[in-house]
Amino acid sequence: IWRQGSGRSFPQTGDTSAWMRDYFRTARAVEHYSSRTIDVLASPRNSLFTFFRDRMSRLSNNEFAVAQGRLFLRNSQALTSDPDLAFRLFAFVARHGVPLAVETEKRIAQVLPRIRESAVGGAELWPAIREILSQPYSYQALTAMRETGVLFAAFPEFELIDCLVVRDFYHRYTVDEHTFLTIQALKDLEKTSDPLTARFASLLPEIDKPELLYFALLFHDVGKGAEGTRHSESSELISEQAMARIKIPEEDRNVVRFLIRRHLVMSDVISGRDLNDPETIEQFRELVGTSERLKKLTLMTFADTRSVNPTAMTTWRKELLWQLYISTHNRITRDAEDRRIGVTPSRDYLAKAATPEEREQMADFLKGFPQRYLITHTPDQVYSHFQLSVPLKEKRAVADVSRRGSLYEVVVLTLDRPFLFASLCAGLSSFGLNIEKAEAFANAHGLVLDTFVVSDPLRSLDLNPNEIGRLSQTLRKVARAEVDAAELLQRRRRSFRPSRRPHIPPKIAFDNQTSSRATIFHISSADRTGLLFDLASKFSQHECDIEVVLIDTRGNKAIDVFYVVGPEGEKLDEDGCQKLQEELVSVCRGSE
């Protein structure tokens, strides 16, 4: 296989890196051939495994057929005329985890030059690559692409690290295998039972365009196969030509460049800097800039460290990484609720506007929102919210519900009124949805933008697509005060007996020092149906305006932060805070 089949000659004596590289290439070829042969010969026809594989045939479609647990091309000649079919094939693998049949691998090998010619010739491959990276079995798909040569056809740059060995006792895997494992590490986050790891899992559904993070991981170590500068800098330069070839949009390339160039920074900081030193956090905050970049870089550092060797991500290292994330995130968002967007917002956030008139309208829409709104949202999200606000004069309220991985994002725009946020929470809970994250912002014109990230534990939205339209309609009616949200929620509470909840004593703290304009209430309590509605209603009963609300749910524990001001727009006095604190404890205990 090595000397005759591969056409490779023996490396020069003394070139240990080349020897090791050839060893791993040969071992990989032997393993691949052996596993295919054993799979064909050793599976009894009446085994339970064979029955399971036969059931997978239901996954077949017009282009691909699944038989005996293997993936076949329906038309064996289709690859010749349509080389892009190969990437749709691997997207199918990434979606379903079905391995290629031997016949399929042979057909790919026959037309590999044609696939390479199309890929290098400038075919628009980014949609297919994005699909492959985003699906749950992307590790299997990338491995199959490497074994068939399609990965090198699409990205010749990847040959630099094919079976490349880092010669130390810390790195357990070859560089290419380490790269694939970093992507798998993020895919495994949703399945973790470790509470320390679960904190990082909570970041994954919050990031925008996760495929850019996966692409950055795919190229973050390619520079190790090049000579010269630090490998992060080489990797950034090498990834640039790949991104241009597959036509990744320029705005998205900036994200990938940043992640690759800075992928070692967080490890360097937690290893060599005092995380309790405010100057350390401030310098790192200036480096990352936005909370979106911070979240992506944190996940990248977690995946990169975890995939060096099975014991590299220790409990202590997780704690340090999370401490750096939390400290920097707090610094980024600190006082951002106090600072308001002026007449001329950042040009980056107006760039999506098509005309000068639209830019002026968009600037007017943003005026008065807290600066935190721009920090926590991308220009695409901001423009989307602006577009939703355009028909408000006629409709008085708009609601948009969209899928976001395994969660749903709900956006509501309407004019402010008492009990608005509480009513929207009740409307969502009445559909059996769990509110995982929530934010509320108001601009200078009294327009309120409420965003919720919700889970659907009963799969009512998944199994009944019409429910999404009914949810949007209900939220619009709630926003216009056309239905009694409290009654909606009460029906829900009557329909389901409350499950037994773990005992989590409520903790309520108020802070009149951090913010210059609002009183901050930090609330920690056992989660339950309608809790957010009850808390928000209590503030409204005291004629408090909720300026910003930050919601987090961790298992059965709710962690909520409310920025509130009194009826005249001032902070609450000490007596008012203490009275509210006592009543909020009663709300959390369910005694009100």
Side-chain angles (χ1 to χ4, degrees), residues 289-501:
T290 68
S291 59
E292 177 68 21
R293 283 187 169 186
L294 174 64
K295 290 172 185 176
K296 283 189 170 78
L297 192 60
T298 301
L299 288 168
M300 189 172 193
T301 305
F302 174 86
D304 191 22
T305 305
R306 185 165 192 158
S307 305
V308 169
N309 70 60
T311 61
M313 181 52 80
T314 61
T315 299
W316 175 239
R317 200 163 185 82
K318 287 180 194 175
E319 289 287 359
L320 290 176
L321 180 58
W322 188 252
Q323 180 185 343
L324 177 57
Y325 165 74
I326 286 295
S327 299
T328 309
H329 183 267
N330 290 341
R331 184 64 63 91
I332 288 174
T333 57
R334 186 188 63 184
D335 292 337
E337 288 76 15
D338 295 335
R339 291 179 280 115
R340 300 283 158 167
I341 301 171
V343 179
T344 54
S346 169
R347 294 182 63 88
D348 293 341
Y349 288 88
L350 302 180
K352 293 289 181 180
T355 63
E357 181 183 4
E358 192 177 44
R359 279 195 292 274
E360 184 178 342
Q361 293 172 348
M362 192 171 173
D364 190 53
F365 164 74
L366 292 173
K367 183 180 178 182
F369 277 131
Q371 286 284 348
R372 186 181 188 280
Y373 173 66
L374 295 184
I375 291 173
T376 56
H377 293 81
T378 65
D380 284 335
Q381 291 171 322
V382 172
Y383 185 64
S384 173
H385 294 162
F386 162 69
Q387 287 183 309
L388 285 174
S389 73
V390 172
L392 261 180
K393 291 181 180 179
E394 294 79 16
K395 297 185 177 181
R396 292 169 45 215
V398 295
D400 179 73
V401 182
S402 58
R403 188 77 182 254
R404 194 167 157 184
S406 61
L407 303 173
Y408 288 86
E409 182 178 68
V410 179
V411 179
V412 179
L413 281 141
T414 188
L415 292 176
D416 198 7
R417 66 170 179 82
F419 290 89
L420 173 62
F421 182 77
S423 299
L424 292 174
C425 293
L428 291 167
S429 296
S430 71
F431 275 73
L433 303 174
N434 291 338
I435 300 172
E436 306 292 343
K437 299 281 182 181
E439 291 182 321
F441 303 103
N443 71 5
H445 308 294
L447 178 67
V448 173
L449 168 66
D450 291 336
T451 59
F452 302 86
V453 176
V454 299
S455 59
D456 183 18
L458 302 178
R459 300 191 65 202
S460 56
L461 302 185
D462 288 344
L463 301 176
N464 305 285
N466 291 336
E467 282 290 274
I468 293 179
R470 194 168 75 87
L471 173 62
S472 299
Q473 184 181 35
T474 300
L475 292 175
R476 287 194 295 270
K477 290 181 177 180
V478 167
R480 296 192 295 257
E482 295 174 0
V483 296
D484 187 346
E487 177 58 26
L488 289 176
L489 183 58
Q490 193 60 31
R491 291 180 205 160
R492 186 76 191 178
R493 284 169 166 161
R494 285 196 296 262
S495 301
F496 293 91
R497 292 183 62 186
S499 59
R500 187 174 181 180
R501 299 190 305 271

Side-chain angles (χ1 to χ4, degrees), residues 117-176:
E117 179 185 353
S118 174
V120 177
E124 192 169 346
L125 294 180
W126 176 232
I129 299 298
R130 180 177 59 204
E131 177 76 6
I132 292 169
L133 294 174
S134 301
Q135 296 300 325
Y137 298 100
S138 53
Y139 173 86
Q140 290 88 328
L142 290 169
T143 300
M145 290 175 70
R146 179 184 62 187
E147 291 170 347
T148 57
V150 173
L151 182 65
F152 306 121
F155 301 116
E157 303 86 359
F158 212 78
E159 293 192 27
L160 289 168
I161 57 171
D162 178 42
C163 289
L164 180 64
V165 176
V166 176
R167 295 163 58 193
D168 61 38
F169 289 103
Y170 184 61
H171 291 79
R172 180 72 57 87
Y173 310 102
T174 58
V175 179
D176 56 336

Side-chain angles (χ1 to χ4, degrees), residues 267-306:
S267 292
D268 291 344
V269 171
I270 64 178
S271 299
R273 298 291 300 273
D274 178 10
L275 300 187
N276 294 315
D277 183 355
E279 186 175 344
T280 296
I281 304 303
E282 179 60 26
Q283 290 174 355
F284 184 63
R285 182 201 66 79
E286 292 178 359
L287 181 69
V288 295
T290 68
S291 59
E292 177 68 21
R293 283 187 169 186
L294 174 64
K295 290 172 185 176
K296 283 189 170 78
L297 192 60
T298 301
L299 288 168
M300 189 172 193
T301 305
F302 174 86
D304 191 22
T305 305
R306 185 165 192 158

